[in-house]
Amino acid sequence: MISETDTSVTSSEDLTVEEAALEEIQLQNVAPEEVIINQYAQKVIDFSSQYGSDTSISYTAYNITGRPSKFPDYGDFPETFAMRTYGRWWDIAPSAMRELQPSNIQDIPIHDFIVVEFEEFVIPQAISIYETYNPGAIVKIWAYFSTTETWQCLWSSFPDIYVEKRPRKFSPPLKRIPLPTKIIRLEFNHIFLDYFTEIDGIVLTGRKCDVREIGDSAIRKSKKGPILRKLESVQFKLRQIENHTDILKDFLVNDLGTFMKEAGLVPEDKDDNTPQITLKDLPCEILFKILSYLDLVSIFRTAQVCRKLYDVATDPFLYQELNLKPYWHSACDDLLITLTKRATLLKKLDLSWCGLFNTITPSVFKDFVRNCCKNLTHLRLNSCKFINAGCMEVVGSVCVNLRELCLRNYSKSPSVLNFHCLKNLRCLERLDLFRTAIDSDLLLMTLRYNPALKHLNLGICSSAVSMDDVAIQISRYNRAIVSIDMWKSHYLSSVGLLALSQCHDLQEVDFGWCLREEASPGDSLKILLKGCPKLTKVFLAAIRGINDRDLENITEFCPNLEQLDLMGVLGITYDMCYKILSKCHKLKVLDLSFCDQIDEIQTALWRDVFGVSIKRNFVPPEYPFIT
């Protein structure tokens, strides 16, 4: 929690209750009888992305529950959990977004996460993660302790650069925290992944315990203030007095000087009387510049030093961009209430991944929006569990100047969000509704009212939305659009491709698993490619009916092409692949997974000759491509 009185996200005081629980166990004369249990994940609580759609069982987050179904086999299996992205390719695409408030970016950026629940509470001793394809992306493991309502990081490390491509049971050493948990969060960084990573299961090992008994004992033991904890840390003994209510007063009067010397807090006497220039002596303008490079936690801590630094650290100009996603584990109502007093000039806000387990309530969020977000231009609310129809109504009425709106992972149908609020928005340049249910008429209305739209993400969108209708609407009102993602959405045909051919500024299209309504796209794909010469990224994964004649148009009309996904295009031949590699001189990555006519020997040779990252999945012979 970050507030006016407590600005530390992770500090030595955060473990007070955990230390109290450990002390309680150590004080017992007889060690409790240990019952060690192993349990598989029972339920998925939350996740940031998945390769599979919600109507499928292939590559979905829920495949991580239960016993591993493929381990110790190695390969690309649809029965596992896979995420949407890998490597650096999405970060260099035209649709890439920069992180808000870069000073908050952690040493290990987090690209994806999944939160799972187990059946029994245990004091965690080990966690085993079954990786069956391209291991090495797990960088953090967290546990949620319901007795203290806090998250604690059990393990963290940088992503593995060199990991052998074989099945791995990953069991890193965990930080020992003697509190019961049954909720675990895994975080991923994909930067070094050559291809998608896949997880087959998770096992939590720990000592079974009575959650109420340990929780109550820990809370009683944790009622020590910061002064008493500091005294104990330097092994300073207080004078014994009978009236415990006067213990602090007696310490300040009689023992403070001795304590300061023993703790090394009193500087040595100096003969030099030359005045020292301190941070407080600097002009406010310089202090403001210094603080502008600090992360949010450091700014909050600076505000506690003195009155002058408080005035500088609470200047609204320091809070024009707020990125709370790195602080998902500590973002709460108190934080938003505190920021309400400071962020009165807020322009860009990222609350993605925050608010799980009601740490942020809709009422506090709505008050924050009303007080701070009138000038907001960028709003990212991906995977925020507290967002409801009322929140969206306030956003729509207050944040009328929005240029970017990201609302990922609100997939319940009918939608729990009130998208009627979008009718007030007229300045949108980016709209991200990945895996979010929205009414078709409301979406088409939003496109009509926002002619400056540049980036649109409708990946795994509601089945009620026709991508042909979307494409026709874009061709009428959004011809300056730069990127369109329709991955695994519905009802895109040659009609939609012909409409999009009028958007001559298009640089990125993803029609993967979407363009499947017809046996073949016919000449519509040629017309699209010819009409959009600026295309640098074209994803055509798993599109039936595409043949060499269709793909030859890529070599003729896409001189700027950098990324091409032909995964599952069964009709592509060796000669056409060679022609694409020879003609598209800017090509950087080519996905030829599940292309039966291309073998690994050929692709290895092409990698050396053309310097292109060619992707090929590995599947044992008994597991054919699933369409």
Side-chain angles (χ1 to χ4, degrees), residues 159-278:
D160 292 334
I161 302 178
Y162 305 106
V163 182
E164 190 174 356
K165 292 188 175 183
R166 55 178 294 176
R168 181 174 77 160
K169 180 182 177 182
F170 183 55
S171 302
L174 302 182
K175 177 181 179 180
R176 293 304 178 94
I177 298 179
L179 284 177
T181 184
K182 64 174 183 176
I183 295 175
I184 297 296
R185 173 179 169 124
L186 307 182
E187 293 186 338
F188 303 85
N189 180 297
H190 306 309
I191 192 168
F192 296 124
L193 286 181
D194 184 60
Y195 206 50
F196 298 99
T197 186
E198 297 178 10
I199 311 294
D200 196 23
I202 307 175
V203 171
L204 172 61
T205 302
R207 179 168 64 84
K208 191 174 180 180
C209 59
D210 187 332
V211 61
R212 292 171 298 180
E213 178 182 345
I214 292 183
D216 293 343
S217 175
I219 292 173
R220 287 195 302 271
K221 283 285 185 178
S222 67
K223 293 180 179 179
K224 298 177 181 178
I227 294 179
L228 185 54
R229 290 198 297 273
K230 181 63 178 177
L231 293 176
E232 292 177 346
S233 69
V234 298
Q235 297 181 343
F236 181 83
K237 293 184 179 180
L238 292 170
R239 296 180 344 130
Q240 299 297 321
I241 60 175
E242 294 182 0
N243 187 357
H244 292 280
T245 61
D246 294 333
I247 187 171
L248 178 59
K249 180 179 178 180
D250 181 80
F251 165 74
L252 294 175
V253 173
N254 300 305
D255 295 323
L256 179 58
T258 305
F259 167 71
M260 296 283 284
K261 293 178 182 179
E262 293 187 8
L265 300 176
V266 180
E268 297 181 2
D269 295 334
K270 295 183 178 180
D271 296 332
D272 187 5
N273 295 324
T274 304
Q276 298 291 321
I277 298 178
T278 66

Side-chain angles (χ1 to χ4, degrees), residues 22 26 125 143 241 270 313 320 355 362 366 536 547 550 599 605:
L22 179 60
Q26 292 174 341
Q125 296 181 349
I241 60 175
K270 295 183 178 180
Q320 294 187 84
K366 288 186 288 187
T536 62
N547 53 39
D550 299 317
D599 61 40
L605 178 62

Side-chain angles (χ1 to χ4, degrees), residues 275-283 287 306 308-309:
Q276 298 291 321
I277 298 178
T278 66
L279 193 64
K280 295 185 295 182
D281 299 320
L282 296 177
L287 290 173
C306 65
K308 181 176 182 179
L309 290 179

Side-chain angles (χ1 to χ4, degrees), residues 66-104:
R67 292 179 176 273
S69 59
K70 296 302 173 187
F71 191 88
D73 292 335
Y74 181 81
D76 184 358
F77 301 115
E79 297 90 346
T80 59
F81 164 53
M83 286 151 281
R84 176 71 177 90
T85 63
Y86 63 87
R88 303 172 182 265
W89 305 112
W90 277 260
D91 296 331
I92 61 175
S95 61
M97 292 187 296
R98 78 167 185 87
E99 289 285 346
L100 302 183
Q101 199 176 7
S103 57
N104 277 348

Side-chain angles (χ1 to χ4, degrees), residues 308-436:
K308 181 176 182 179
L309 290 179
Y310 175 86
D311 291 340
V312 177
T314 56
D315 191 312
F317 282 98
L318 283 175
Y319 300 88
Q320 294 187 84
E321 283 193 22
L322 284 177
N323 182 7
L324 301 184
K325 186 170 74 170
Y327 307 124
W328 61 266
H329 53 282
S330 52
C332 60
D333 281 349
D334 289 342
L335 172 58
L336 288 188
I337 292 171
T338 298
L339 289 172
T340 300
K341 306 171 187 177
R342 305 184 181 187
T344 54
L345 301 178
L346 184 62
K347 293 183 179 180
K348 300 179 181 181
L349 174 65
D350 191 345
L351 272 174
S352 299
W353 305 356
C354 298
L356 189 62
F357 302 137
N358 301 313
T359 55
I360 296 178
T361 58
S363 59
V364 171
F365 171 77
K366 288 186 288 187
D367 289 340
F368 178 77
V369 172
R370 293 189 186 102
N371 287 287
C372 299
C373 298
K374 294 181 177 64
N375 300 315
L376 207 65
T377 60
H378 294 62
L379 180 59
R380 300 175 185 174
L381 298 172
N382 300 325
S383 303
C384 293
K385 293 300 184 182
F386 61 88
I387 295 295
N388 58 22
C391 293
M392 290 305 304
E393 184 177 354
V394 173
V395 167
S397 60
V398 174
C399 309
V400 294
N401 298 312
L402 280 180
R403 298 204 302 267
E404 176 184 302
L405 179 60
C406 298
L407 294 167
R408 290 187 167 215
N409 295 321
Y410 300 94
S411 59
K412 291 184 179 180
S413 185
S415 176
V416 297
L417 305 184
N418 179 12
F419 283 106
H420 288 280
C421 66
L422 298 183
K423 65 183 180 182
N424 298 324
L425 305 181
R426 299 290 189 273
C427 307
L428 282 178
E429 297 177 7
R430 181 187 296 271
L431 181 60
D432 189 342
L433 298 176
F434 177 85
R435 198 172 162 266
T436 291

